[in-house]
Amino acid sequence: MKTESARLFFALWPDEAQRTALTAMTESLPAGLGRHVAPANIHITLLFLGAVAAETRQALEAAATRIAASPFVLTLDHYGYWRKPQVLWAGSRVTPPELRGLVEQLQRAASACGLSVDNRPYQPHLTLCRKVRQPPQLPKFLPFYWAAADFSLVESRSAPGGVRYEPCRAWALRVDVDSTSGPHSVE
Ligand code: 3AM
């Protein structure tokens, strides 16, 4: 019997205020550039997982609960463009060590659950626009300070208008992780 699976990734998922500001960033881009990311889909990927079976997901969520990482601020400070996937993104020249540590812990947790993970150096980026056929002329970049207080497990679903991302569960980042009780869930 085929077990149920979902297409999953870990991400920084914006709160409403962050989403509003980031939507303004995508909307400030010149028209006709490509396909802007829908406001509801704005996020920063931490770790792409792909198809995950239900039992593996349970183990993964349990492992995510044990992750110990402090909150941090990620400064989005420039535009970037990847020619091959034709993606325009906003990136950060500095990766906070807390973010690097969080991603490494997620990679280890996913590997321990039997998932194959991308071990290339992590480059935080927020995809703004897809199908951008050539390096565009862009407005001045206005820095955005993303205060990250939690991380989320997100499901990617095919929808009639394109892909839709649905956050399923979030875990708080905490300054002091009490080893006796473990990090709080923010569900
Ligand atoms: O955060 P962005 O938009 O860069 O491109 C996909 C998206 O990244 C990426 O995972 C995020 C949520 O879908 N993605 C999709 N398929 C992937 C793959 N096979 C992938 N990343 C790595 N390997």
Side-chain angles (χ1 to χ4, degrees):
M1 196 180 74
K2 197 163 173 264
T3 58
E4 223 178 287
S5 75
R7 189 173 167 84
L8 300 177
F9 60 100
F10 283 109
L12 297 179
W13 195 255
D15 63 24
E16 281 318 301
Q18 290 166 328
R19 184 176 305 287
T20 301
L22 292 164
T23 301
M25 188 187 289
T26 62
E27 287 175 351
S28 73
L29 295 171
L33 204 61
R35 220 179 53 220
H36 289 192
V37 169
N41 276 354
I42 288 173
H43 69 280
I44 292 178
T45 299
L46 295 168
L47 181 65
F48 177 78
L49 301 163
V52 178
E55 319 82 76
T56 308
R57 177 178 181 160
Q58 245 183 0
L60 189 68
E61 292 193 23
T65 303
R66 293 190 290 272
I67 283 176
S70 298
F72 55 87
V73 175
L74 178 70
T75 303
L76 298 177
D77 51 17
H78 68 288
Y79 293 112
Y81 174 68
W82 287 325
R83 189 178 292 275
K84 205 164 165 214
Q86 300 188 324
V87 167
L88 176 72
W89 43 273
S92 174
R93 296 201 194 278
V94 178
T95 304
E98 299 89 344
L99 171 56
R100 198 173 291 289
L102 170 62
V103 170
E104 285 168 4
Q105 289 184 70
L106 289 171
Q107 288 173 334
R108 282 199 294 274
S111 289
C113 291
L115 297 167
S116 57
V117 300
D118 188 349
N119 283 317
R120 285 175 299 180
Y122 177 66
Q123 184 177 1
H125 69 277
L126 185 153
T127 297
L128 298 168
C129 201
R130 298 183 190 280
K131 298 203 184 299
V132 179
R133 298 194 194 287
Q134 50 199 355
Q137 290 287 330
L138 293 166
K140 182 174 154 47
F141 194 96
L142 299 176
F144 179 78
Y145 304 95
W146 184 318
D150 56 28
F151 66 97
S152 299
L153 184 64
V154 183
E155 182 164 351
S156 171
R157 290 172 180 266
S158 297
V163 72
R164 202 182 67 218
Y165 300 143
E166 268 180 29
C168 318
R169 186 169 173 185
W171 293 265
L173 297 169
R174 297 183 25 173
V175 181
D176 299 305
V177 176
D178 176 351
S179 58
T180 55
S181 62
H184 286 293
S185 170
V186 292
E187 283 174 283

